[in-house]
């Protein structure tokens, strides 16, 4: 069974958003992570980069293909999950 936390807001393209104080943490759903499988590289936006709702903001590459991750909200990236750069199997999220 997939993990579907109720405090998250989801979009049709399998991204989620969670309000945390003044910031919004975003990531991809458990379903998307299971579908992608065998992640070999994650390209996250740089801190300070502006992202626009509905536009590609990150890329997840698997042994099969590369997948764009779309921003569920507009904003400026305040931090990224640095662990993702070194361990692609970890949850992909960054905060804007």
């Amino acid at each position: 069974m997939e993990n579907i936390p109720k405090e998250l807001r989801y979009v049709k393209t399998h991204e989620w958003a969670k309000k945390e104080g003044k910031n919004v943490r975003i990531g991809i759903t458990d379903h998307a992570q299971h579908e992608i499988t065998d992640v070999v590289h994650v390209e996250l936006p740089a801190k300070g980069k502006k992202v626009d709702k509905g536009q590609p903001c990150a890329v997840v590459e698997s042994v099969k293909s590369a997948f764009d991750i779309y921003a569920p909200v507009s904003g400026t990236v305040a931090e990224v999950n640095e662990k993702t750069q070194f361990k692609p199997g970890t949850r992909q999220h960054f905060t804007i």
Side-chain angles (χ1 to χ4, degrees):
M1 189 90 191
E2 292 179 36
N3 180 17
I4 306 174
K6 296 192 184 317
E7 69 274 10
L8 303 181
R9 299 292 177 241
Y10 299 91
V11 295
K12 292 179 183 180
T13 53
H14 295 284
E15 291 84 14
W16 55 259
K18 178 183 178 189
K19 182 113 169 97
E20 295 181 341
K22 298 186 307 184
N23 293 325
V24 175
R25 180 177 303 258
I26 69 173
I28 60 177
T29 63
D30 280 351
H31 175 76
Q33 291 182 51
H34 289 260
E35 289 295 310
I36 292 171
T37 68
D38 299 324
V39 173
V40 295
H41 180 71
V42 177
E43 184 179 320
L44 297 176
K47 186 175 178 179
K49 179 179 173 142
K50 292 185 184 203
V51 297
D52 294 317
K53 181 179 178 178
Q55 296 301 309
C57 62
V59 176
V60 176
E61 293 180 29
S62 74
V63 293
K64 298 178 191 177
S65 186
F67 302 89
D68 284 332
I69 306 301
Y70 298 90
V73 296
S74 295
T76 302
V77 176
E79 65 181 83
V80 296
N81 181 355
E82 297 296 335
K83 293 178 187 175
T84 303
Q85 302 295 0
F86 303 106
K87 291 184 176 181
T90 63
R91 292 200 181 272
Q92 288 78 41
H93 72 267
F94 56 96
T95 305
I96 61 172

